């Protein structure tokens, strides 16, 4: 028995932050950002809007699209590294917001690979035979940990994400394979140093801007291309496929140059690669479900198509997932 995706949805906040807006805030230019990253704009939350609010919008759409009642959901997995709080979990807030009275759930922290970790976890619950309806949502509110005086990083990220319902299928379709990795030796290259138990918030830590995400962009870039390309090629080979068998490749959207370099290493032609980074920037755990939901809305996936997902992020975490697409009503 496989787990299959039976509904997808996405949501971004209303407020748009364009490259031209950023030109007024830091020493940058639309030309620099577009040529180095492919990003033209990103969405960011308004006042009093947080990750659980975006997740709740997605959860409500998922229920409506699949015509489910909140009570049908058994597990809520929220993939995020920007939860509303350390405790309670974002999953608890979403459960309460949608009234899913039979569910349990948890937050899953896998940075940009979070949604793949979440799909894998949900799929294994389904395959166990104990669960039949699982909601997996990937959302990040990156603006909440962004230093808008640091031009090296603040131009890259946005807020938003998407989600999916997982259910069992008796067909040979659905999630058929995954390769997931983690390597903490890369931890220092992309890190938010403050706010956790290592460096709790103090007046000094706030003054030292420790509660913002920091990165070594060039190192992350190199590891991201190699990591995503390696696991994408490996999963194709071990399923006795070639690049030509892949109908659609939805990679994590960190930087268009990372996507292009990864696709070139895998031998994918441009028409097979889904790219929406220009409108959203990097929404971390949100990029893959946001891309998947848009691809479904744009009817880019047909029954039986081979869909390849790949991600890379802080940790380092990375992975690939192969899905034989099953069209749902
Ligand atoms: N506007 C204008 N100039 C800038 C900006 C900016 N926003 N940011 C940096 N610069 C300057 C630098 O200071 C540098 O100036 P200098 O030569 O005078 O020192 C110059 O531009 C070139 O900087 P580089 O670092 O060489 O630019 P590069 O081509 O490597 O692009 C980038 C930088 C976009 C950050 C790239 O390294 C990258 O995308 N790395 C991956 C990082 C990433 O995606 N992180 C997200 C999380 S992980 C993930 O999701 C995979």
């Amino acid at each position: 028995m496989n787990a299959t995706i039976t509904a997808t949805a996405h949501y971004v906040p209303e407020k748009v932050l364009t490259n031209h807006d950023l030109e007024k805030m830091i020493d940058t230019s639309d030309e620099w950002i577009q040529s180095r990253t492919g990003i033209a704009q990103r969405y960011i939350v308004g006042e009093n809007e947080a990750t659980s609010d975006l997740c709740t919008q997605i959860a409500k759409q998922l229920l409506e699209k699949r015509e489910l009642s909140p009570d049908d959901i058994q597990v809520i997995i929220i993939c995020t590294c920007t939860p509303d709080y350390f405790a309670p979990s974002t999953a608890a807030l979403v459960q309460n917001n949608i009234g899913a009275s039979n569910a349990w759930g948890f937050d899953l922290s896998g940075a940009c690979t979070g949604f793949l970790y979440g799909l894998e976890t949900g799929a294994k619950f389904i395959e166990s035979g104990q669960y039949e309806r699982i909601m997996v949502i990937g959302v990040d509110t990156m603006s909440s940990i962004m230093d808008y005086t640091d031009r090296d990083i603040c131009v890259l990220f946005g807020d938003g994400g998407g989600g999916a319902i997982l259910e069992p299928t008796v067909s040979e379709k659905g999630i058929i394979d995954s390769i997931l990795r983690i390597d903490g030796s890369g931890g220092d290259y992309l890190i938010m140093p403050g706010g956790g138990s290592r460096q709790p918030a103090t007046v000094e830590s706030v003054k030292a801007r420790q509660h913002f995400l920091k990165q070594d962009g060039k190192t992350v870039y190199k590891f991201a291309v190699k990591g995503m390309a390696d696991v994408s090629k490996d999963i194709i080979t071990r399923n006795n496929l070639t690049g030509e068998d892949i109908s659609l490749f939805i990679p994590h959207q960190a930087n268009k140059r990372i996507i292009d370099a990864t696709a070139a290493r895998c031998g994918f032609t441009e028409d097979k690669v889904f790219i929406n980074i220009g409108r959203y920037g990097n929404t971390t755990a949100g990029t893959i479900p946001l891309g998947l939901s848009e691809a479904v809305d744009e009817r880019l996936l047909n029954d039986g198509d081979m869909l390849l997902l790949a991600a890379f992020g802080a940790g380092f975490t990375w992975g690939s997932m192969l899905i034989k697409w099953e069209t749902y009503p």
Side-chain angles (χ1 to χ4, degrees), residues 189-306:
Y189 296 116
L190 187 55
I191 187 168
M192 187 176 102
S197 56
R198 176 74 54 194
Q199 171 58 76
T202 60
V203 172
E204 289 70 32
S205 75
V206 171
K207 276 191 191 149
R209 310 185 87 73
Q210 298 291 292
H211 302 270
F212 294 121
L213 193 65
K214 323 258 179 209
Q215 73 166 358
D216 172 346
K218 278 192 196 308
T219 305
V220 173
Y221 187 104
K222 268 191 295 191
F223 277 92
V225 174
K226 182 172 173 4
M228 284 204 288
D230 285 353
V231 289
S232 298
K233 286 188 288 187
D234 286 352
I235 206 166
I236 289 171
T237 309
R238 88 176 184 190
N239 284 275
N240 300 317
L241 302 171
T242 68
E244 294 199 349
D245 296 311
I246 302 301
S247 308
L248 189 66
F249 177 50
I250 305 182
H252 169 54
Q253 313 277 313
N255 179 325
K256 185 165 181 303
R257 284 157 59 212
I258 292 179
I259 296 171
D260 290 344
T262 305
R265 283 194 190 197
C266 297
F268 296 137
T269 48
E270 235 174 71
D271 54 313
K272 288 191 174 180
V273 184
F274 187 90
I275 301 181
N276 63 5
I277 190 171
R279 274 173 290 140
Y280 301 115
N282 182 350
T283 55
T284 305
T287 69
I288 290 190
L290 181 46
L292 177 61
S293 173
E294 285 199 331
V296 170
D297 290 354
E298 291 168 26
R299 301 186 187 283
L300 300 180
L301 286 163
N302 297 306
D303 199 61
D305 277 356
M306 282 294 182

Side-chain angles (χ1 to χ4, degrees), residues 26-29 32-33 36-37 112 151-152 155-157 190 215 217-218 220-221 224 252 254-255 257-258 282 312-314:
I26 45 169
D27 179 16
T28 192
S29 67
W32 191 98
I33 301 170
R36 295 302 213 289
T37 71
C112 302
R151 71 175 186 174
D152 288 342
V155 301
L156 303 175
F157 289 92
L190 187 55
Q215 73 166 358
K218 278 192 196 308
V220 173
Y221 187 104
H252 169 54
N255 179 325
R257 284 157 59 212
I258 292 179
N282 182 350
F312 185 92

Side-chain angles (χ1 to χ4, degrees), residues 95-123:
Q95 177 280 327
N96 186 46
N97 289 346
I98 63 171
S101 50
N102 294 318
W104 65 281
F106 55 92
D107 289 5
L108 192 160
S109 169
C112 302
T113 317
F115 190 71
L116 293 192
Y117 282 12
L119 281 184
E120 173 79 348
T121 307

Side-chain angles (χ1 to χ4, degrees), residues 38-76:
I39 301 167
Q41 62 166 50
R42 66 291 291 144
Y43 292 83
I44 60 166
V45 293
E47 252 177 72
N48 296 322
E49 199 177 13
T51 296
S52 70
D53 303 313
L54 310 187
C55 292
T56 300
Q57 295 287 342
I58 293 162
K60 286 180 176 169
Q61 283 185 54
L62 287 171
L63 293 175
E64 201 180 308
K65 286 188 173 181
R66 188 60 185 152
E67 296 180 354
L68 294 174
S69 131
D71 290 346
D72 293 328
I73 301 300
Q74 296 162 309
V75 187
I76 300 170

